[in-house]
Amino acid sequence: MGAIYRREINAFFTSGLAYVFLSVYFLFSGYFFYQGTLSQATTDTSPMFNALFLIVLFLIPILTMRLLSEEKKQKTDQGLLTAPIGLWSIVLGKYFAALTLFVIAESIVFVYALILSYFGTVVWSTLLANYFAMLLLGAAFIAVGVFISSLTENQMASAVASFLALMLLYMIDSIGNGIPVEFIQKLFVSLSFYTRYVEFTMGIFNLSSVVFYLSAAFIFNFFTVRVLEKRRWG
């Protein structure tokens, strides 16, 4: 897994994708930090994190679109699949490389916290709760993106399909509200990535939401392994 991880990290930076991803993330997070926190004369970063949900939804598909689709397009996937390495090692190596880049981007919040400390007292419990929520969200979204990347050799198709899948996960509670059956509404709300995320930004720590995001990440990585397994023996 380590070799795959290092290879993907290098590929992110040599291709320039890492710089584009980080620049866009820093640009929008800086804008929302100014608009939602500094201009409001508050040290509460929750509005920034709330607004970043949609930005992450757009950026994750770009981050994950090449991870497996490029291997398939360049016909290097067969060599990878026949190498003496487990499928979980392949998937997790690529997954953690993307997650590492996401963590680097998200950690800009600690720079913002340093800035805020000059103007007032930073409520670290709230900031860390929001940071943790964004990390969980990114972990789940990246797993979805890696899975969809394993289904096609076209990077653009992978990005578009990932965006549509994440948008569906974002809107699932709204879709559920349109169904006049109470238990279905509750089911859809319980599957809502956005509703659970917003709870964190409001300072509500729910262990079930932590389990939900981690389970989603595991399930979609498992699906990716199954896709590769089928390709290996197909």
Side-chain angles (χ1 to χ4, degrees):
M1 187 178 80
I4 299 292
Y5 173 83
R6 289 189 295 272
R7 172 192 172 199
E8 293 302 325
I9 287 290
N10 289 333
F12 275 132
F13 285 95
T14 55
S15 67
L17 181 60
Y19 301 108
V20 173
F21 176 81
L22 293 173
S23 297
V24 174
Y25 190 95
F26 292 159
L27 175 66
F28 279 100
S29 65
Y31 173 77
F32 292 133
F33 172 65
Y34 175 77
Q35 288 292 329
T37 303
L38 288 183
S39 66
Q40 302 300 317
T42 178
T43 58
D44 183 12
T45 55
S46 295
M48 176 190 72
F49 279 100
N50 200 356
L52 279 174
F53 184 98
L54 284 177
I55 303 305
V56 169
L57 190 148
F58 277 96
L59 286 179
I60 292 297
I62 297 173
L63 182 63
T64 60
M65 65 182 183
R66 54 160 292 278
L67 286 176
L68 285 164
S69 59
E70 187 178 46
E71 300 277 5
K72 191 173 182 180
K73 182 178 181 180
Q74 295 183 352
K75 309 301 181 184
T76 57
D77 58 329
Q78 290 304 314
L80 193 62
L81 293 176
T82 56
I85 182 174
L87 295 180
W88 273 104
S89 295
I90 296 173
V91 172
L92 292 181
K94 290 175 175 290
Y95 171 77
F96 282 121
L99 186 59
T100 297
L101 194 59
F102 182 79
V103 170
I104 293 172
E106 190 192 355
S107 295
I108 188 68
V109 68
F110 295 113
V111 176
Y112 299 152
L114 184 63
I115 295 172
L116 288 176
S117 66
Y118 284 99
F119 300 98
T121 302
V122 178
V123 183
W124 283 100
S125 57
T126 302
L127 186 143
L128 291 175
N130 281 285
Y131 177 86
F132 186 54
M134 179 63 76
L135 178 60
L136 289 171
L137 179 73
F141 276 5
I142 289 170
V144 175
V146 173
F147 167 64
I148 293 178
S149 179
S150 70
L151 301 176
T152 177
E153 66 179 32
N154 188 305
Q155 293 187 37
M156 188 56 66
S158 173
V160 172
S162 294
F163 169 73
L164 292 176
L166 297 182
M167 183 62 73
L168 177 63
L169 294 174
Y170 166 59
M171 297 177 61
I172 194 168
D173 53 339
S174 299
I175 296 172
N177 289 333
I179 301 175
V181 181
E182 186 177 357
F183 85 90
I184 294 181
Q185 290 181 358
K186 291 182 178 179
L187 175 63
F188 275 53
V189 169
S190 69
L191 296 175
S192 173
F193 280 60
Y194 181 70
T195 300
R196 292 178 180 275
Y197 176 75
V198 170
E199 286 181 351
F200 279 102
T201 65
M202 294 188 299
I204 302 173
F205 180 84
N206 191 334
L207 183 59
S208 67
S209 294
V210 175
V211 174
F212 172 81
Y213 284 121
L214 294 179
S215 297
F218 173 80
I219 289 169
F220 280 100
N221 278 322
F222 174 76
F223 288 162
T224 305
V225 170
R226 296 294 294 173
V227 169
L228 296 185
E229 187 175 41
K230 184 177 180 181
R231 194 179 300 168
R232 169 181 277 181
W233 301 112

